[in-house]
Amino acid sequence: MNSTDYDTHRENVAGRSDVEDTPELVAYYKELERLNTAALWTVANKIEPWQPKSVSVPVLWRYQGLREHVLRSVSLVTPEKAGRRVIYLDNPGRRDVSAAVGWLYSGLQVMHPGEIASAHAHSSSALRFIMEGKGAYTIVDGHKMALGANDFVLTPNGTWHEHGVEADGLPCIWQDGLDIPLVNALEAGFFTVHPDLHQAVTHPVDDSVALWSAAGLRPHDLGWNKPYSPLFKYQWEPTYEALRRYAAGREDSPFDGALMHYTNPVNGGHVMATIGASMQLLRPGFVGKAHRHTGSFLYQVAKGQGYSIIEGRRFDWQERDIFCVPSWAWHEHVNTSRTDDACLFCFNDLPVMEKLSLYREEALVDNGGHQPLIAA
Ligand code: GTQ
């Protein structure tokens, strides 16, 4: 069945549960409850919705307002005491599971020069997208990476990882993205602190970039069979350059402009088993059309300014702002600059949706492909 078939049959309420309470039924439900059972028809319409109805709400987190509060945490707690000094994005519809959207967690981590956050490993997959500062680094399984603004780093499921800022650096802030809510929903969360609290750096700095990021080339004598990318760091400059070339060589997607996925160089697939990521370029004046799809998406504005209309509400964004698009929410993006391109970093649960055959996508056909705005 495709989504059109769903639409055709949606009006057929005769097939839906429609049982009114009677004193006899209410008493019956009480009896069932004592047996740890219940009547399906009391919940069927809720647990089998016509289509996904996300409890996450679209949210824009403005960096301008948030930044000073993130920096304030530096004087309030140490990384040693806090473990990770992070202010996380708490979607009003998902407070019960500390999610930013759907089953995805995200937070802003801040570190001062000379600070170190100790090494640990967990079954959640994690990523970082660097927002500001100088001298940040992450060590993943003995591979140290130097991090600059708009660099994207992986800390996959099961890897030892620790973060810090070099003593001669500047205060750094980056966005963390993890699948913590998903892993907890699946009751598969494990967490270990490194026995020495810190790892030895056992490889040359940035070796994963040297070995695995040559365009179109794969090392002859290096095998890799782990379920995540051997390239741990995706630098901003080559990413932006690739996007510009891609955008110049083809027509825009009506929804996304020029969008490229960060990939595992071994197989071209998503970077990790549960989290995918992309960067997209909206050329000056780009006005995207609306579509919706399953999966949860968190965007950070890496460059430029514009707005997105999500479920009929307009969210104006500028560099470093973060916003979310919940599953099956209509969304369309606009670059308001006439001269500069805009770039949106995004991470999502697409690998999960695809592997479980739950990905669906639909374009808005009414109203010229644009959502009517809902009055505030
Ligand atoms: O840096 O390993 O924001 O384990 C949340 C959990 C960051 C991390 C977070 C984590 C980390």
Side-chain angles (χ1 to χ4, degrees):
M1 224 191 210
N2 59 39
S3 56
T4 322
D5 297 326
Y6 284 117
D7 282 338
T8 311
H9 299 289
R10 199 169 291 159
E11 302 311 316
N12 198 358
V13 291
R16 298 291 267 181
S17 79
D18 183 27
V19 181
E20 274 173 36
D21 281 352
T22 62
E24 191 181 11
L25 274 172
V26 170
Y28 175 56
Y29 297 152
K30 283 245 154 62
E31 282 171 40
L32 290 177
E33 195 180 328
R34 275 197 294 277
L35 299 169
N36 293 321
T37 56
L40 172 61
W41 61 86
T42 63
V43 297
N45 294 350
K46 182 171 156 226
I47 67 171
E48 294 182 298
W50 296 114
Q51 54 185 322
K53 193 158 172 28
S54 183
V55 294
S56 303
V57 294
V59 181
L60 171 80
W61 289 272
R62 276 209 178 78
Y63 192 55
Q64 235 174 25
L66 198 50
R67 185 176 179 275
E68 63 181 284
H69 295 283
V70 172
L71 289 170
R72 197 165 154 233
S73 69
V74 174
S75 62
L76 298 174
V77 294
T78 61
E80 287 77 21
K81 282 276 187 195
R84 295 292 190 258
R85 191 168 50 213
V86 177
I87 304 305
Y88 71 91
L89 309 179
D90 206 14
N91 191 295
R94 300 294 279 158
R95 296 222 157 108
D96 51 337
V97 290
S98 303
V101 63
W103 295 109
L104 295 173
Y105 159 101
S106 188
L108 301 189
Q109 185 159 173
V110 56
M111 296 195 72
H112 264 207
E115 289 185 331
I116 304 174
S118 60
H120 66 206
H122 38 65
S123 54
S124 275
S125 297
L127 60 85
R128 312 172 202 276
F129 189 76
I130 312 305
M131 301 175 81
E132 64 168 278
K134 195 172 149 279
Y137 66 85
T138 282
I139 308 171
V140 178
D141 276 349
H143 302 267
K144 181 172 179 177
M145 284 155 288
L147 306 173
N150 287 349
D151 285 352
F152 165 55
V153 198
L154 309 182
T155 51
N157 171 354
T159 56
W160 294 116
H161 55 281
E162 64 194 273
H163 321 295
V165 175
E166 308 288 359
D168 61 354
L170 294 170
C172 290
I173 300 178
W174 59 80
Q175 181 183 8
D176 293 325
L178 294 94
D179 57 7
I180 290 171
L182 174 69
V183 171
N184 286 341
L186 297 171
E187 301 180 339
F190 293 91
F191 188 103
T192 319
V193 174
H194 194 283
D196 306 326
L197 290 182
H198 298 287
Q199 309 160 72
V201 177
T202 50
H203 303 266
V205 173
D206 284 330
D207 73 314
S208 91
V209 177
L211 297 175
W212 291 103
S213 73
L217 295 166
R218 188 163 63 79
H220 169 66
D221 55 358
L222 282 184
W224 187 264
N225 53 17
K226 295 184 176 164
Y228 50 80
S229 167
L231 177 58
F232 293 154
K233 177 170 85 161
Y234 299 76
Q235 290 173 181
W236 165 241
E237 290 78 11
T239 303
Y240 184 51
E241 178 63 23
L243 264 179
R244 282 168 50 111
R245 283 173 190 237
Y246 176 52
R250 67 184 284 281
E251 290 212 349
D252 281 331
S253 143
F255 312 113
D256 288 312
L259 185 149
M260 299 184 95
H261 295 280
Y262 293 94
T263 54
N264 177 336
V266 175
N267 57 22
H270 291 293
V271 290
M272 294 186 285
T274 53
I275 306 181
S278 61
M279 183 72 82
Q280 73 192 82
L281 183 149
L282 312 177
R283 67 179 84 235
F286 175 82
V287 178
K289 291 195 168 181
H291 72 159
R292 62 180 175 181
H293 40 69
T294 50
S296 301
F297 295 74
L298 263 170
Y299 292 85
Q300 184 187 138
V301 183
K303 181 176 184 295
Q305 59 194 45
Y307 65 85
S308 298
I309 301 173
I310 309 167
E311 286 291 288
R313 288 179 54 215
R314 174 170 162 159
F315 296 88
D316 286 86
W317 40 253
Q318 56 188 29
E319 210 169 293
R320 299 294 160 230
D321 288 349
I322 296 172
F323 61 92
C324 68
V325 174
S327 187
W328 210 237
W330 291 113
H331 57 284
E332 57 198 273
H333 307 300
V334 174
N335 177 359
T336 47
S337 170
R338 303 243 150 256
T339 51
D340 295 327
D341 49 35
C343 292
L344 300 176
F345 169 77
C346 171
F347 73 92
N348 54 62
D349 57 5
L350 268 181
V352 178
M353 305 312 284
E354 290 171 1
K355 264 178 241 160
L356 301 184
S357 300
L358 294 172
Y359 186 75
R360 304 282 189 285
E361 184 177 358
E362 174 173 287
L364 184 65
V365 284
D366 300 340
N367 204 32
H370 297 288
Q371 302 161 76
L373 280 175
I374 296 167

